[in-house]
Amino acid sequence: MNPENKLPVLDCISDEMRAALNANQDDLPPWPPADDFSAMRQHYLHERRFWNIDAPLMTTREYAIPGAYGELITRLYCPVPESKATLFYLHGGGFILGNLDTHDRIMRLLANYTQCTVIGIDYSLSPEARFPQAIEETVAASRYFHQHADDYQLNMTQVGFAGDSAGAMLALASVLWMRDKHITCGRVAGVLLWYGLYGLQDSPSRRLLGGVWDGLTREDLRMYEDAYLRHADDRESPYYCLFNNDLTRDVPPCFIAGAEFDPLIDDSRLLFQTLQAHRQPCEYKMYPGTLHSFLHCSRVMKTADDALRDGARFFTSQL
């Protein structure tokens, strides 16, 4: 597509999204080269510290547990002594960035709004760890806590999975993996998916949107994909292109959130349309004026806080 035909995104976003985009971080260095993953991770961690300030206080516990590929770090957010359910959270970052600290505020707010224990899983990043390792680690962690629920004072009778961006794909892929392989870790009451990618290789939104403001040009998306997947054939795996899986049966209730000016929004729209057409329980909500990753900006964006509250409401309504 001729670049001149792309939508003028920065002229269309909401005032609060623009304020978040222009938030002044004087000590933030320029974005590193695309092949320096270590520098990119440090930059991402540094930038996210600003957005994690003033998160709700609650009891947190961190544990190293046995995973599918060795030790795995997890963090438990415990807003109340007696939780109605346990919600596993997978952070975004294009499979190559992010950790428990970059998404700390999101997990704290989600725990606060659901009044459920949230467990963040620090899955291994790509390209050092490639598909499907992060999925296998997520499944291993959920099984471990299910088997040792009493040791960690967890209510694992009802569970959920949640994530943003790449974490949304990992959340839904892990649920489908467990369904297909008959793995049980408690009743999966709901799946919360904020602006995920679910396997489309092309779409109108991917052509019309994405730029330097969100780091999601078509070249960026291919870079993330190439770092995550082992080889080209993985693009058609039912645990990467989730539309190649069976979405007609036994999909837990899904809350699907889209950002209006996100190049990945067509993934969310199609997921919702597919589940709805096959009478799988789901809800879709599009947040006007927003960009990909807006969930981080709840310090200054009511819309971001609303999106977390909406997901929390959906989850608790399924319990």
Side-chain angles (χ1 to χ4, degrees):
M1 174 177 284
N2 185 333
E4 293 180 359
N5 292 329
K6 297 188 76 168
L7 298 188
V9 169
L10 297 183
D11 295 334
C12 301
I13 57 176
S14 67
D15 289 342
E16 62 172 4
M17 186 77 255
R18 184 173 293 105
L21 198 62
N22 294 332
N24 191 17
Q25 297 190 55
D26 293 330
D27 59 345
L28 198 62
W31 184 252
D35 58 349
D36 191 341
F37 293 105
S38 177
M40 283 194 288
R41 289 166 187 165
Q42 287 303 311
H43 188 284
Y44 188 71
L45 178 62
H46 189 161
E47 191 267 340
R48 289 297 184 257
R49 285 187 187 132
F50 174 84
W51 295 110
N52 281 324
I53 294 171
D54 297 329
L57 298 177
M58 65 187 65
T59 300
T60 60
R61 297 176 277 154
E62 202 160 291
Y63 299 103
I65 65 170
Y69 293 82
E71 194 172 81
L72 194 62
I73 303 301
T74 59
R75 185 180 296 163
L76 279 61
Y77 297 83
C78 309
V80 292
E82 300 292 332
S83 174
K84 297 173 290 185
T86 297
L87 185 60
F88 292 96
Y89 196 87
L90 289 309
H91 67 78
F95 309 108
I96 67 172
L97 308 172
N99 58 26
L100 300 178
D101 291 333
T102 60
H103 287 64
D104 181 72
R105 181 185 174 93
I106 289 173
M107 291 187 283
R108 287 177 182 273
L109 288 173
L110 199 51
N112 191 41
Y113 296 153
T114 60
Q115 290 294 283
C116 293
T117 300
V118 170
I119 299 181
I121 300 175
D122 197 18
Y123 59 86
S124 299
L125 298 176
S126 298
E128 296 88 343
R130 292 181 182 264
F131 171 86
Q133 181 168 333
I135 298 170
E136 293 175 318
E137 289 178 335
T138 299
V139 173
S142 61
R143 294 185 74 181
Y144 175 83
F145 283 115
H146 181 252
Q147 293 164 359
H148 299 86
D150 291 342
D151 297 337
Y152 294 91
Q153 298 86 52
L154 294 173
N155 181 349
M156 291 288 295
T157 57
Q158 299 189 97
V159 300
F161 291 81
D164 63 291
S165 192
M169 171 186 271
L170 293 175
L172 185 54
S174 298
V175 168
L176 295 172
W177 182 287
M178 289 189 288
R179 181 202 66 183
D180 297 343
K181 298 179 185 300
H182 308 289
I183 296 170
T184 300
C185 66
R187 172 183 171 262
V188 182
V191 187
L192 310 180
L193 307 168
W194 285 277
Y195 45 78
L197 68 162
Y198 306 112
L200 293 183
Q201 291 298 306
D202 198 5
S203 72
S205 65
R206 287 172 183 245
R207 290 188 175 234
L208 289 169
L209 304 170
V212 295
W213 51 86
D214 58 13
L216 291 177
T217 64
R218 298 188 77 194
E219 293 75 21
D220 292 325
L221 291 170
R222 178 53 62 91
M223 182 270 292
Y224 291 128
E225 182 178 78
D226 288 345
Y228 178 57
L229 299 179
R230 298 166 298 184
H231 43 69
D233 290 348
D234 285 338
R235 290 194 180 96
E236 298 304 320
S237 166
Y239 305 105
Y240 180 72
C241 182
L242 304 188
F243 300 109
N244 286 339
N245 208 305
D246 185 355
L247 302 178
T248 69
R249 63 170 183 88
D250 302 325
V251 179
C254 290
F255 173 78
I256 303 164
E260 183 177 13
F261 296 108
D262 180 1
L264 302 179
I265 193 171
D266 283 341
D267 287 59
S268 291
R269 289 184 182 125
L270 182 57
L271 178 63
F272 170 67
Q273 290 165 355
T274 303
L275 294 175
Q276 185 183 50
H278 295 287
R279 299 182 180 178
Q280 300 300 293
C282 57
E283 177 182 321
Y284 173 71
K285 188 161 186 180
M286 185 275 286
Y287 294 87
T290 58
L291 298 171
H292 190 85
S293 295
F294 78 95
L295 207 63
H296 285 279
C297 303
S298 58
R299 280 185 63 195
V300 300
M301 288 184 67
K302 180 179 182 298
T303 303
D305 191 68
D306 288 345
L308 281 165
R309 289 179 184 270
D310 290 340
R313 171 197 49 76
F314 179 88
F315 182 64
T316 55
S317 72
Q318 307 301 320
L319 300 179

